[in-house]
Amino acid sequence: MEKLRKVVNEIAYTRVHTNSPALHRSLVPILTIASSLYSAALQIRRSLYRFSLLQKHRLPVPVISVGNLSWGGNGKTPMVEYISQFLVDSGVSPLILTRGYAGGDEAKMLERHLRGGPVKIGVGANRAATAALFLEKYGCVDPSTLRTFFDLHERAEARAISEKIGSIILDDGMQHLSLSRDLEIVMLNGLNPWGNGHLVPLGPLREPLVALERADIAVVHHVDLITKQNLRDIENMIQGFKKSIPIFYSKMVPKYLFDVKNARSHVALEALRCASVLCVSAIGSADAFVKSIEMTGAHYVDRLDFSDHHLFEAQDVETMRRRAKGLEHKSNSKPIIVVTEKDYDRDPEILKCLDSYTVLVLCSELQITDVDNFDSTLMRALAAKFYVSS
């Protein structure tokens, strides 16, 4: 199954299959039919909501959706965390709604980062029902009070925060049509935002690009890893669908590492300098992860990629061990194995089985270019949406 996932992913990011392996070419017709069926189902579903045959739920507080148009690697979860902290700094207690997909690695990472603060996290496929449970338990901020929270001139860093919920962040919300939102943020993977341009499973797109018209803010992620020309091409594509949309840029900045045997440990990035490193990941944008490790000054970097959200098993650990031994012979030094936080949070215990090697977890932080303008745009958009809806 893992091999099939990898093949489908390779097809999704290949525009011409003339020189592809026979297995890839044999799967293209099947994936094309499946993609057409998915497109038809997507259109039917959207029509049902458009004509009110399916109900949209409206929540009593502003809803911020953070989503994407394609498979992983878009920086969606780090943006959810950033907005959560931004709202807390603005005096608002947010509720994050996430579906907890594929073992809930994203939800676990958010819980670990935000534990002990006023941010609440609700996990469940039916996010309207999950929101209702939290709103019943904690209540929501009075609308008249929210007006001051979303006024740019009323922000206060030291304001006491109520337990009541003041805003909801919809994680992976762009295709979650059953919940109304007041602000739509779309995250785009700058390394390859559209793939081959087809809908899943033939391509990586979860919706046609015309869905960009629904977005209020677009953020191009991994901006530090792409050329200026590629960035201009992405901007032109976005503005071709919505000329007026504000476009911002983000990147992941490595901060430190910790040992899988002790999540409270703190290892400086300098530990990788001049070292041999095996990057192991099951994420949507492994290229960005590997490049960030290369930038630490590692002497030799090898990689072992699994499909996004893959749950490591005993046979995978053996594969990691064999690859590490091969790297050890090649580099004449014992390598350090580095994984991402999502890989760690998916199953913290299994990586401890690699006890003959040092296994570290890379912790990175989302940084937004022109962050002050982004923050003010976010507040203005929230205020405008909220005042209209109220």
Side-chain angles (χ1 to χ4, degrees):
M1 184 60 72
E2 175 62 14
K3 182 180 178 182
L4 180 60
R5 287 197 193 102
K6 283 187 175 181
V7 170
V8 170
N9 187 71
E10 289 169 5
I11 291 172
Y13 288 95
T14 304
R15 291 189 175 274
V16 180
H17 300 283
T18 308
N19 298 320
S20 296
L23 176 59
H24 292 57
R25 295 198 304 272
S26 67
L27 285 174
V28 168
I30 300 170
L31 296 175
T32 300
I33 294 171
S35 184
S36 298
L37 293 173
Y38 174 80
S39 177
L42 206 61
Q43 292 176 22
I44 291 170
R45 180 168 174 262
R46 188 161 292 285
S47 296
L48 291 174
Y49 279 105
R50 185 182 302 120
F51 295 110
S52 300
L53 296 174
L54 286 178
Q55 182 184 6
K56 278 195 173 188
H57 299 273
R58 165 64 68 178
L59 298 176
V61 294
V63 175
I64 304 168
S65 167
V66 179
N68 51 32
L69 291 180
S70 65
W71 290 339
N74 302 278
K76 175 178 53 62
T77 303
M79 178 59 78
V80 167
E81 183 179 342
Y82 175 87
I83 293 174
S84 299
Q85 191 58 56
F86 173 78
L87 289 172
V88 168
D89 291 343
S90 301
V92 178
S93 178
L95 165 65
I96 298 172
L97 295 178
T98 179
R99 59 180 175 167
Y101 174 73
D105 51 0
E106 295 167 347
K108 290 174 184 175
M109 189 173 78
L110 287 168
E111 287 172 352
R112 188 162 51 82
H113 285 192
L114 301 170
R115 187 182 296 127
V119 181
K120 302 165 184 66
I121 301 174
V123 181
N126 188 336
R127 282 176 266 191
T130 304
L133 290 173
F134 275 81
L135 288 167
E136 182 179 359
K137 180 177 180 179
Y138 295 100
C140 62
V141 176
D142 184 85
S144 61
T145 307
L146 276 174
R147 290 183 183 275
T148 61
F149 284 145
F150 293 119
D151 185 322
L152 282 171
H153 303 290
E154 293 294 329
R155 293 188 64 201
E157 303 253 340
R159 178 184 292 132
I161 298 177
S162 167
E163 273 287 294
K164 294 183 178 180
I165 295 168
S167 184
I168 287 174
I169 304 170
L170 190 56
D171 180 28
D172 194 15
M174 195 158 189
Q175 289 78 41
H176 193 78
L177 302 180
S178 64
L179 206 58
S180 295
R181 69 285 318 272
D182 300 283
L183 188 67
E184 186 84 75
I185 299 174
V186 60
M187 302 293 297
L188 303 166
N189 184 352
L191 290 170
N192 200 335
W194 332 115
N196 60 15
H198 293 289
L199 294 174
V200 296
L202 179 60
L205 294 179
R206 301 166 71 181
E207 287 189 81
L209 295 183
V210 69
L212 287 166
E213 294 177 352
R214 302 202 315 270
D216 298 298
I217 294 173
V219 181
V220 181
H221 193 46
H222 298 311
V223 68
D224 57 322
L225 303 178
I226 59 177
T227 65
K228 290 182 179 180
Q229 183 57 54
N230 285 345
L231 183 57
R232 281 194 292 269
D233 291 341
I234 295 170
E235 290 171 340
N236 290 336
M237 178 68 81
I238 297 170
Q239 292 172 338
F241 289 97
K242 191 169 185 179
K243 186 71 176 175
S244 61
I245 188 170
I247 302 175
F248 294 94
Y249 316 99
S250 64
K251 61 182 179 180
M252 296 304 296
V253 179
K255 290 296 184 180
Y256 66 95
L257 306 117
F258 67 82
D259 195 298
V260 294
K261 296 176 182 177
N262 180 10
R264 296 183 181 277
S265 61
H266 193 291
V267 180
L269 296 173
E270 285 72 18
L272 302 182
R273 187 170 296 158
C274 299
S276 296
V277 178
L278 174 61
C279 298
V280 177
S281 65
I283 57 174
S285 186
D287 287 346
F289 168 53
V290 174
K291 287 181 181 180
S292 68
I293 296 299
E294 290 173 342
M295 292 169 68
T296 64
H299 172 65
Y300 194 98
V301 178
D302 193 9
R303 62 190 291 176
L304 182 58
D305 303 341
F306 295 85
S307 60
D308 195 15
H309 296 291
H310 176 72
L311 188 63
F312 295 141
E313 299 176 350
Q315 61 188 22
D316 300 319
V317 173
E318 285 305 310
T319 301
M320 296 175 202
R321 188 176 282 112
R322 285 196 302 270
R323 181 66 70 88
K325 284 182 179 178
L327 179 56
E328 187 172 351
H329 291 310
K330 187 181 296 185
S331 63
N332 292 318
S333 62
K334 195 153 190 172
I336 298 171
I337 298 175
V338 181
V339 301
T340 72
E341 284 192 90
K342 284 188 179 182
D343 298 313
Y344 170 81
D345 284 313
R346 205 173 297 123
D347 187 348
E349 295 302 315
I350 195 165
L351 293 168
K352 295 177 183 178
C353 297
L354 290 159
D355 48 12
S356 57
Y357 292 94
T358 298
V359 184
L360 301 178
V361 182
L362 179 66
C363 298
S364 300
E365 179 182 84
L366 182 84
Q367 283 190 4
I368 301 171
T369 306
D370 197 7
V371 65
D372 290 338
N373 192 21
F374 177 83
D375 290 351
S376 60
T377 299
L378 182 64
M379 291 295 278
R380 283 196 304 269
L382 268 176
K385 295 276 186 178
F386 175 69
Y387 291 147
V388 168
S389 63
S390 61

